[in-house]
Amino acid sequence: MTVDSIAVPRPAWRGLAPDWRWREGSRLTLALAAFVVLFSLLPMGRLIAAAFGGGVVAFWQVLDTPEVWRAARNTLAVAFGSGALALVVGTGFALVLSVTTLRARTPLAFILVMSLMIAPQISALAFKTLAGPASPLLKLVGLAPSPGTPNPMLGGFGIILVMGLHHAPLVAVTLASGLASIPRSLIEAALIEGASPWQVVRLIVLPLLRPFILTAALLVFVAGAGNFGIPALLGLPVGYTTLPTLLYRKLASFGPGTIGDAAAISMLIALIAGAGVIAAGLLMARAHSRFENDHRIEPFWMLGRWRPVVEIAVWGFVALTILLPLASLAATSLVPAYGVRLSWRSMTLAPYAEVLFRQDLTVRAFRNSLALSGATAISLGAMTLASAYVLDRARPKLRAAAFAVIELPYAIPGIVLAIACILLFIQPLPLIGVSIYATPLIILFAYHARFFAVALKPVLAAMATLDHAVEEAAICDGVPLRQRLCHIILPLVFPAVFAGMLMVFLLAFNELTVSALLWSAGTETLGVAMLSLEDSGLAAEAAAVAVSATALACLLMLAMQMLARRLPDNALPWQALAGPRTGRAGG
């Protein structure tokens, strides 16, 4: 008997590969297909049908009006202006955290990402309370503008400033991905040849980062074009409208033809954002294909005696742009009324007691946001386990295409998704004749569509790191798929599932852009309640809601940090931004 004639058994997993979907995974595959159709294709298809239902001429007639052109110009100005600021600030932070021996990089990265995770409307409210004539902090130090002075944060300048600072961490996280892929050998070779750290950054690092810088620029442009919370708080009070806030005002008017006009404007926003998303995706794919390596860059710029100076400058900037506005927000929540000077005698917790226990609107909003975000997080946790299992075993091109469709509702502006949901559910559902419009279920549906990709990403990353030997052995022993998922796969990827659930809860709890158009009496969310309080002139109560939501966001991020060691490398954005922990870096 020769070696070639010996029947070597193939692993059971390999035998399943050609017809895996039909032999035991067909139900999971069909479930994933149903998720994709329900949460991605149906809403966007309905929006496209409504926008172009009357033809291209009717679509153009809706857009060819002075108010739309003015809002479009403002949108582009805000998107380009805030994007440029975010690019400068975010690039600076990414380089400082990745290439210098700055200490305490992880806490610094945590605070930066926290400012991104905080809802945009909270950032806008924080800067608004800081710069106005009623600012408790400025009154405390005698620097408050005189009464009646316009708040400098209201209008285009304030929107660009706040939005640029809010989106800067997005640039930093994107560039951190590129910095992690630069081969360490290039840096070491340049330093051995006598190049200075600045020459390495200018001649090697920045040229290699060019695709990531372009990608980051496109991402912050898209985020700026679709942002609703910041223009709503800083633009609407002075009549400065962007396309998202114009859409909000049109739907609030309930005039004739409102839905058709809203669909057309939503389609314009989606086209602007979609072009940026597609270009960013193509650039990122090319960048990753060029720079894959296992030896990531490490801090090489030894600051030496300049390290305290750099640290003071970096932390001073963070304190001025992140911590000080949040402190102003907290101070505003501790005074009994608008314009009261903060002191030990005037300090009060009455606004917190009012919004947390007494006021029906805010109590209901807290309850609704907790229920909706919690239900979304739990159900998406279950959905992503099955979906990631299917996608991990799909062909690369099919997996990429499926995830692109799943990510579509998250990539487009939230206000566009809200219009799509209104169009989809404004009529009773077929067959059963029940309508979910103006109920909490439509918000729940929109949250599932928007945050499905957020919950799926960490689970996919964890699934890709698993060794399939244990599952192959279980297949050989005849263990069915359901038991393998529950007793083998789930215990291994549960930290990633839980991290995705926490991330979804964090984003949904403070969400405003989607719920601003989908709420009805009794279904107000926390973002809607805060906007309503601010519009009503109840600044202290609005600030108390914002501070409470921010505190919860920090607690959730700390909970995810506790899971960091059980997650794949760089699964948490502030981990990726902080870079490797080395003795030289002191981080």
Side-chain angles (χ1 to χ4, degrees):
M1 180 180 292
T2 63
V3 174
D4 293 337
S5 64
I6 299 176
V8 179
R10 296 176 62 196
W13 184 258
R14 301 301 178 191
L16 289 173
D19 56 347
W20 174 82
R21 293 179 184 82
W22 305 111
R23 293 185 61 173
E24 67 165 3
S26 58
R27 292 183 181 179
L28 290 183
T29 304
L30 290 175
L32 176 59
F35 296 157
V36 172
V37 171
L38 182 61
F39 294 128
S40 296
L41 297 182
L42 276 181
M44 297 313 301
R46 184 66 184 89
L47 176 64
I48 295 172
F52 295 101
V56 178
V57 174
F59 173 76
W60 177 250
Q61 286 176 347
V62 174
L63 301 182
D64 193 19
T65 60
E67 62 176 354
V68 173
W69 281 108
R70 182 169 56 253
R73 285 195 300 270
N74 290 341
T75 300
L76 293 176
V78 164
F80 279 115
S82 65
L85 177 60
L87 200 62
V88 172
V89 175
T91 302
F93 272 112
L95 291 175
V96 166
L97 288 170
S98 296
V99 308
T100 73
T101 54
L102 193 76
R103 292 172 293 190
R105 297 198 310 272
T106 298
L108 183 59
F110 185 91
I111 294 174
L112 287 173
V113 176
M114 182 195 69
S115 71
L116 179 65
M117 292 299 177
I118 292 174
Q121 66 270 16
I122 293 179
S123 297
L125 185 61
F127 276 90
K128 185 178 179 181
T129 60
L130 175 64
S135 170
L137 287 187
L138 294 185
K139 281 179 173 290
L140 191 63
V141 296
L143 296 177
S146 57
T149 302
N151 192 317
M153 291 293 106
L154 297 179
F157 169 78
I159 295 173
I160 290 173
L161 176 64
V162 176
M163 196 180 294
L165 293 174
H166 183 74
H167 291 154
L170 178 61
V171 174
V173 171
T174 304
L175 295 189
S177 174
L179 285 162
S181 64
I182 294 178
R184 189 191 312 164
S185 57
L186 288 178
I187 308 300
E188 293 174 347
L191 293 174
I192 291 173
E193 291 295 326
S196 67
W198 168 240
Q199 289 176 322
V200 172
V201 170
R202 183 170 58 89
L203 300 178
I204 297 177
V205 174
L206 289 179
L208 291 177
L209 279 182
R210 189 174 294 117
F212 293 91
I213 293 174
L214 292 174
T215 299
L218 290 168
L219 290 176
V220 292
F221 171 81
V222 170
N227 191 286
F228 170 76
I230 295 174
L233 264 76
L234 301 182
L236 285 182
V238 292
Y240 189 94
T241 59
T242 61
L243 286 173
T245 55
L246 174 64
L247 188 57
Y248 173 77
R249 287 175 54 179
K250 277 188 169 294
L251 281 180
S253 68
F254 290 104
T258 297
I259 293 296
D261 292 355
I265 297 173
S266 297
M267 202 65 225
L268 177 61
I269 301 173
L271 290 173
I272 294 174
V277 169
I278 293 172
L282 293 174
L283 281 171
M284 188 61 77
R286 291 180 59 188
H288 278 299
S289 66
R290 288 174 57 193
F291 299 131
E292 290 294 335
N293 80 94
D294 296 328
H295 303 286
R296 62 166 293 160
I297 190 174
E298 290 186 354
F300 59 85
W301 195 324
M302 309 299 291
L303 296 176
R305 60 190 178 89
W306 290 100
R307 184 159 69 177
V309 177
V310 175
E311 289 174 344
I312 291 173
V314 170
W315 280 100
F317 185 84
V318 169
L320 184 64
T321 59
I322 298 176
L323 302 181
L324 185 62
L326 291 177
S328 174
L329 195 63
T332 303
S333 70
L334 295 174
V335 296
Y338 178 81
V340 175
R341 181 186 178 90
L342 180 65
S343 65
W344 288 112
R345 181 171 298 180
S346 65
M347 189 179 299
T348 177
L349 295 176
Y352 289 93
E354 180 71 20
V355 301
L356 294 176
F357 303 109
R358 290 198 292 266
Q359 193 170 107
D360 289 341
L361 170 64
T362 51
V363 171
R364 188 168 58 245
F366 270 102
R367 185 172 61 246
N368 290 339
S369 289
L370 283 170
L372 291 169
S373 55
T376 303
I378 292 171
S379 60
L380 285 181
M383 289 168 54
T384 52
L385 177 64
S387 301
Y389 187 83
V390 174
L391 289 176
D392 185 59
R393 286 150 179 78
R395 293 182 177 90
K397 290 185 178 180
L398 180 60
R399 179 170 60 246
F403 189 80
V405 177
I406 291 171
E407 200 173 24
L408 181 62
Y410 185 72
I412 62 173
I415 203 160
V416 175
L417 176 63
I419 294 296
C421 291
I422 291 173
L423 293 167
L424 187 62
F425 295 116
I426 197 169
Q427 298 294 332
L429 295 174
L431 301 179
I432 61 176
V434 176
S435 175
I436 67 171
Y437 180 70
T439 71
L441 291 178
I442 191 172
I443 301 178
L444 191 64
F445 176 91
Y447 283 1
H448 277 73
R450 185 150 182 82
F451 301 123
F452 189 12
V454 174
L456 185 59
K457 280 184 178 180
V459 187
L460 266 179
M463 199 78 73
T465 64
L466 295 183
D467 184 357
H468 295 305
V470 177
E471 192 178 2
E472 290 175 9
I475 294 174
C476 292
D477 288 339
V479 179
L481 175 60
R482 180 178 60 82
Q483 293 185 17
R484 298 202 309 272
L485 282 174
C486 293
H487 301 296
I488 298 176
I489 303 298
L490 179 58
L492 294 173
V493 302
F494 181 75
V497 173
F498 189 65
M501 291 168 60
L502 286 177
M503 188 71 73
V504 168
F505 184 91
L506 173 63
L507 293 172
F509 185 75
N510 288 315
E511 197 279 329
L512 171 64
T513 308
V514 173
S515 54
L517 297 184
L518 299 181
W519 74 276
S520 58
T523 65
E524 302 92 343
T525 62
L526 207 56
V528 172
M530 197 192 80
L531 186 61
S532 177
L533 291 171
E534 178 64 17
D535 287 342
S536 302
L538 301 174
E541 287 78 3
V545 171
V547 171
S548 302
T550 302
L552 181 60
C554 292
L555 289 175
L556 289 175
M557 289 181 63
L558 288 172
M560 286 187 281
Q561 178 62 28
M562 293 175 65
L563 289 172
R565 293 185 178 181
R566 301 188 61 186
L567 295 174
D569 291 340
N570 301 328
L572 299 177
W574 55 91
Q575 281 185 318
L577 183 56
R581 295 174 63 95
T582 64
R584 289 186 307 164

